Amino acid sequence: MIDLIYCFLYIITGGFVFFVFQSLVKRKSPYSGYLLPLAAYLILWQSWSPVRVNLLPEFVWESEFWYSLYFCAHEGMLMLLIGVALIPLLLDNRSYVENLELPAASPEYGYEGFQENSY
């Protein structure tokens, strides 16, 4: 039963990452493609991890080296894809800041505009 919960947890997490990917595509973000490998990995590979572990040959379970190597590679790939998905946070987005336009001064925004002082 816990294996089924684990499976659905990763499918839901991968679906959420895919939803974030789609919303970034709608915003025309150039960095949306970094999320797609993580979503695919979570849904297609990580979600059936408990089933896959049960299908491993017996020599993997008997040898501590192969057992450790399998799980380190498995979790290492997940951490690598999470790191790739977070790369856009490190990239400079100054082009978006330069293109922002401020609303015009109007009374509806609570700003009357610049008034010259007559001293």
Side-chain angles (χ1 to χ4, degrees):
M1 181 64 179
I2 194 79
D3 293 345
L4 190 61
I5 293 171
Y6 186 81
C7 175
F8 285 126
L9 177 69
Y10 275 108
I11 289 174
I12 290 169
T13 305
F16 176 72
V17 172
F18 190 73
F19 170 75
V20 171
F21 164 75
Q22 285 183 332
S23 64
L24 287 175
V25 167
K26 286 180 185 175
R27 292 183 188 172
K28 297 181 179 165
S29 172
Y31 306 117
S32 60
Y34 289 104
L35 291 173
L36 198 55
L38 178 61
Y41 182 81
L42 288 171
I43 294 171
L44 300 175
W45 185 257
Q46 186 78 10
S47 65
W48 63 286
S49 177
V51 175
R52 191 176 59 249
V53 167
N54 294 333
L55 296 174
L56 286 174
E58 194 170 314
F59 78 89
V60 173
W61 294 108
E62 292 174 355
S63 171
E64 187 176 324
F65 172 74
W66 290 111
Y67 180 77
S68 299
L69 182 68
Y70 173 78
F71 283 104
C72 286
H74 189 265
E75 296 302 317
M77 180 61 87
L78 179 63
M79 294 303 132
L80 177 72
L81 290 173
I82 289 172
V84 167
L86 294 176
I87 284 176
L89 294 176
L90 300 174
L91 299 176
D92 194 14
N93 283 338
R94 293 185 189 199
S95 63
Y96 292 119
V97 175
E98 292 173 358
N99 294 332
L100 290 178
E101 294 181 15
L102 297 175
S106 66
E108 66 186 64
Y109 292 116
Y111 179 67
E112 299 293 330
F114 180 73
Q115 298 174 356
E116 292 184 25
N117 290 334
S118 57
Y119 293 112

